[in-house]
Amino acid sequence: MNILMVHNSYQIKGGEDSVVLNECNLLRSHGHDVTVFQVDNSYIRGFFSKLVVAIFSIFSVFGYFKMRRVIKKTKPDVVHVHNYFPILSPSIFWACHYNNVPVVHTLHNFRAICPTAILMWKGKVVEKSISSSSSWWTLSKKVYKNSFLGTFFLILMVEINKKIGTWSTAVDGYIALTDFSKKKYVSAGWPEDRIYIKPNFSDYRGGSLESRENFALYVGRLSEEKGVRFLVDCFRGSGLSIKFVGDGPLNEYLESHGSNNIENLGRLPKEEVLSLMSRASCLVMASTWYEGFPMVIVEALGCGLPVIVPKLGNMEAVVTHDLCGLHYTPKDNQGFINAASKVITDPSVRERLSIGALKEFDAKYTPSENLTSLIEIYKKVIKRKDGGECECLSD
């Protein structure tokens, strides 16, 4: 199959960039031809360039005609778009539509329905853009980088593309990473029969039930929305140990609140993170927002590491309670510590959940499972474009 992969990467590389690379390598390793059309935000520096990009994020003429040229040159069977914001813009979907090429779009976040991108504001989940069918409430809040102008153009991108039918007409299929994310998009009015569910994957599978040590592990950005202060408060005086891996705004806070049982390891190479995952008792999360698709959970499952998450959004959707981890009520200190203590101090519970983690990984998150799902989605979208009937993948 001839696939055109499209991605607008950010100035600071993140999870989406890794997903694009992993999917490209996976497809190529199984004989598919993959061309990557990628732009990045590195040149967006001064006020003028930011203003130009903001204006054209609504509908980029550059993105539209560049996309048509790439399609003409590569003649793909299907186009797979990961991110179009801000340089390419949703205009690239109309370029595919004009050229009658099937196009799939992976929904990594909620930016297409809300300028916040994460359905959260000031540490709380806010779904006004869904419930009121309008995102104009975000203007006074300056939700995009605390910029009135930036938020204004982002709202226009959301509302204009909704109005002209970009999401109902110009895109042939969507990939939601979880059923939870799919339901949010359907609630916002997106076509349910075009949204397929396919999680991300990891190519690492290891870990040992015998090598577990009595400590919890946090891996991720050290920031407010990740619940870092909550975790510190919970572990302080609990008698349980936690190791933090990552970097971010709360790095100094974590350094100043370190103790014998709270350790900040900073940023570490992936190999060292996986080694820690193979030794820890559990991975813990305390995010106050829905999360997109936490790859750290999938990597933990591949290491046979139980995961403790709040009953919230995609964290709850990915971790099956009492099978590969445990749930707790968000911001419930005692409930969290009870769950963590159960896994860290009881080897029988830890072993049962570790076995469940590996089974869950093998069933859903291996490269082979991902490849099968991805190719099936491509075929369904191509069939839809050719006028054939298409059934939505529900799991």
Side-chain angles (χ1 to χ4, degrees):
M1 191 176 291
N2 183 11
I3 301 146
L4 174 60
M5 198 74 72
V6 183
H7 184 52
N8 189 150
S9 60
Y10 301 105
Q11 289 181 356
I12 300 176
K13 303 301 180 185
E16 291 182 26
D17 302 288
S18 298
V19 170
V20 173
L21 179 62
N22 290 343
E23 287 191 352
C24 287
N25 290 339
L26 179 65
L27 289 163
R28 285 169 176 156
S29 68
H30 287 79
H32 298 282
D33 294 323
V34 181
T35 302
V36 179
F37 171 30
Q38 183 165 326
V39 299
D40 65 67
N41 302 343
S42 58
Y43 74 87
I44 308 175
R45 298 292 181 183
F47 174 79
F48 181 74
S49 63
K50 289 180 179 179
L51 179 61
V52 171
V53 169
I55 294 171
F56 284 101
S57 66
I58 303 166
F59 192 99
S60 170
V61 176
F62 158 78
Y64 177 81
F65 285 105
K66 179 65 175 177
M67 188 70 177
R68 287 187 59 180
R69 286 195 295 271
V70 174
I71 289 172
K72 184 177 180 180
K73 180 180 179 181
T74 59
K75 296 179 174 58
D77 297 313
V78 64
V79 175
H80 186 166
V81 178
H82 281 269
N83 179 45
Y84 54 79
F85 180 80
I87 297 172
L88 294 175
S89 88
S91 68
I92 60 175
F93 297 112
W94 288 104
C96 296
H97 184 70
Y98 179 87
N99 284 274
N100 201 36
V101 178
V103 57
V104 178
H105 175 32
T106 295
L107 303 169
H108 288 283
N109 53 48
F110 299 103
R111 178 167 281 122
I113 55 178
C114 183
T116 64
I118 57 177
L119 298 180
M120 186 186 88
W121 175 243
K122 289 193 173 180
K124 295 182 180 180
V125 171
V126 179
E127 296 189 1
K128 284 185 182 180
S129 296
I130 295 177
S131 60
S132 68
S133 300
S134 172
S135 60
W136 283 103
W137 68 272
T138 63
L139 185 59
S140 62
K141 312 295 184 184
K142 297 188 290 187
V143 302
Y144 183 68
K145 297 185 177 180
N146 199 34
S147 167
F148 182 89
L149 201 58
T151 303
F152 174 73
F153 285 113
L154 193 46
I155 292 170
L156 289 181
M157 185 197 79
V158 171
E159 298 301 329
I160 289 176
N161 281 281
K162 187 193 307 180
K163 189 74 173 177
I164 66 176
T166 299
W167 313 123
S168 59
T169 303
V171 186
D172 303 292
Y174 298 94
I175 295 176
L177 303 177
T178 67
D179 185 57
F180 174 84
S181 291
K182 175 179 177 176
K183 288 176 179 176
K184 291 301 174 188
Y185 271 94
V186 172
S187 296
W190 289 44
E192 182 175 9
D193 64 334
R194 297 189 196 178
I195 304 179
Y196 311 119
I197 299 172
K198 183 197 73 65
N200 296 326
F201 71 96
S202 172
D203 57 5
Y204 181 84
R205 210 277 198 184
S208 169
L209 301 180
E210 291 75 33
S211 60
R212 298 292 169 188
E213 300 173 26
N214 296 330
F215 68 88
L217 180 66
Y218 170 90
V219 179
R221 181 172 166 78
L222 305 179
S223 57
E224 293 288 351
E225 74 276 5
K226 293 290 187 177
V228 170
R229 293 181 194 270
F230 169 82
L231 292 174
V232 171
D233 288 342
C234 287
F235 277 90
R236 188 189 294 123
S238 68
L240 304 174
S241 297
I242 182 172
K243 299 181 187 294
F244 286 87
V245 176
D247 197 3
L250 293 184
N251 186 59
E252 290 186 9
Y253 167 83
L254 196 56
E255 286 290 337
S256 65
H257 287 75
S259 61
N260 290 335
N261 68 316
I262 301 175
E263 187 177 2
N264 182 15
L265 302 178
R267 291 181 68 92
L268 295 175
K270 188 166 185 177
E271 294 75 17
E272 292 185 35
V273 175
L274 292 174
S275 175
L276 283 167
M277 285 184 172
S278 298
R279 291 162 39 210
S281 291
C282 58
L283 180 80
V284 295
M285 296 185 71
S287 295
T288 58
W289 68 292
Y290 288 148
E291 291 281 354
F293 185 89
M295 275 301 297
V296 66
I297 293 180
V298 174
E299 291 168 350
L301 297 180
C303 292
L305 180 62
V307 186
I308 299 175
V309 299
K311 291 187 282 188
L312 182 67
N314 285 317
M315 295 172 288
E316 180 183 11
V318 175
V319 177
T320 304
H321 178 68
D322 212 33
L323 173 65
C324 56
L326 297 175
H327 296 168
Y328 65 93
T329 301
K331 300 182 180 180
D332 178 1
N333 294 52
Q334 193 57 53
F336 170 81
I337 282 296
N338 289 344
S341 178
K342 186 181 295 185
V343 179
I344 294 172
T345 63
D346 190 332
S348 63
V349 172
R350 186 166 66 233
E351 180 175 346
R352 176 172 59 80
L353 295 177
S354 292
I355 293 171
L358 290 172
K359 287 182 178 178
E360 191 81 342
F361 178 84
D362 290 339
K364 298 179 180 178
Y365 304 114
T366 62
S368 60
E369 285 292 325
N370 198 272
L371 179 67
T372 299
S373 296
L374 189 56
I375 294 301
E376 186 178 355
I377 291 170
Y378 288 163
K379 288 179 178 179
K380 286 179 177 289
V381 170
I382 291 170
K383 185 177 180 180
R384 177 190 292 278
K385 196 70 172 181
D386 289 339
E389 294 184 0
C390 178
E391 296 179 358
C392 184
L393 298 179
S394 59
D395 51 39

